[in-house]
Amino acid sequence: MAAVLVGPGCDMPEDMPEDMPEDMPEDMPEDWRQIELESGIGFAVPSGAVRAGGTAVDSDAGYFDGDGYRITYDYGRFGEDLGVHADAEGYTRSERRRNGHPIVEIGFVPTDEDFGWARVLQIDLGRGRTLTVRVSCVSRDQCELADRVFESVTM
């Protein structure tokens, strides 16, 4: 994960819908754990997700492994260049805003890891800070898990 949100198609219209909740949704399963990266910034993971590692030079990055999925995060000055996945099989992209912050979400068949589907949410938090959360799963159906992970993002 190496570049801030730049490149073709990354300019966000001011009238993008704000469709993500401000706080963790009330219907979030009680056994999920909230991961706080900085005061007020974080996301939740299922209770079965195990912190499996992560290292970073210029950001807070790591990942959690679960049964048939991996949740990877990168919070800091540089985020993954999502444009590198534009030619991937099944590629989808949507844009929206939350609390005035531009958000990009993509889905694709990954070639950089052994999973059948991946979804990535990237939020430009301003002042050079980006939060990228990637949910990779054995199947596209299992990656519906990403909906809850992405809804749980706090900022």
Side-chain angles (χ1 to χ4, degrees), residues 100-151:
H101 298 284
I103 297 173
V104 174
E105 182 178 336
I106 64 171
F108 58 96
V109 175
T111 57
D112 57 347
E113 59 185 352
D114 292 329
F115 288 100
W117 188 251
R119 288 177 56 191
V120 181
L121 181 81
Q122 188 170 73
I123 305 172
D124 180 347
L125 295 168
R127 297 190 325 247
R129 298 174 308 141
T130 302
L131 173 61
T132 304
V133 180
R134 177 173 175 160
V135 180
S136 303
C137 307
V138 295
S139 71
R140 191 173 190 153
D141 287 342
Q142 186 174 16
C143 263
E144 289 181 9
L145 164 76
D147 290 335
R148 292 211 174 210
V149 174
F150 295 167
E151 288 171 3

Side-chain angles (χ1 to χ4, degrees), residues 45-117:
V45 298
S47 61
V50 176
R51 186 179 297 270
T55 59
V57 174
D58 59 0
S59 62
D60 184 356
Y63 62 94
F64 295 84
D65 283 338
D67 186 20
Y69 67 87
R70 173 172 283 170
I71 300 170
T72 307
Y73 66 93
D74 184 0
Y75 170 65
R77 295 199 40 87
F78 302 99
E80 178 179 2
D81 177 5
L82 302 184
V84 302
H85 303 292
D87 293 329
E89 181 182 340
Y91 179 82
T92 62
R93 178 186 171 106
S94 64
E95 300 174 356
R96 58 190 177 275
R97 287 184 175 273
R98 178 175 169 202
N99 300 336
H101 298 284
I103 297 173
V104 174
E105 182 178 336
I106 64 171
F108 58 96
V109 175
T111 57
D112 57 347
E113 59 185 352
D114 292 329
F115 288 100
W117 188 251

Side-chain angles (χ1 to χ4, degrees), residues 14-26:
E14 292 298 319
D15 60 348
M16 244 188 304
E18 296 217 15
D19 63 351
M20 293 183 69
E22 289 189 27
D23 296 315
M24 200 158 139
E26 292 179 20

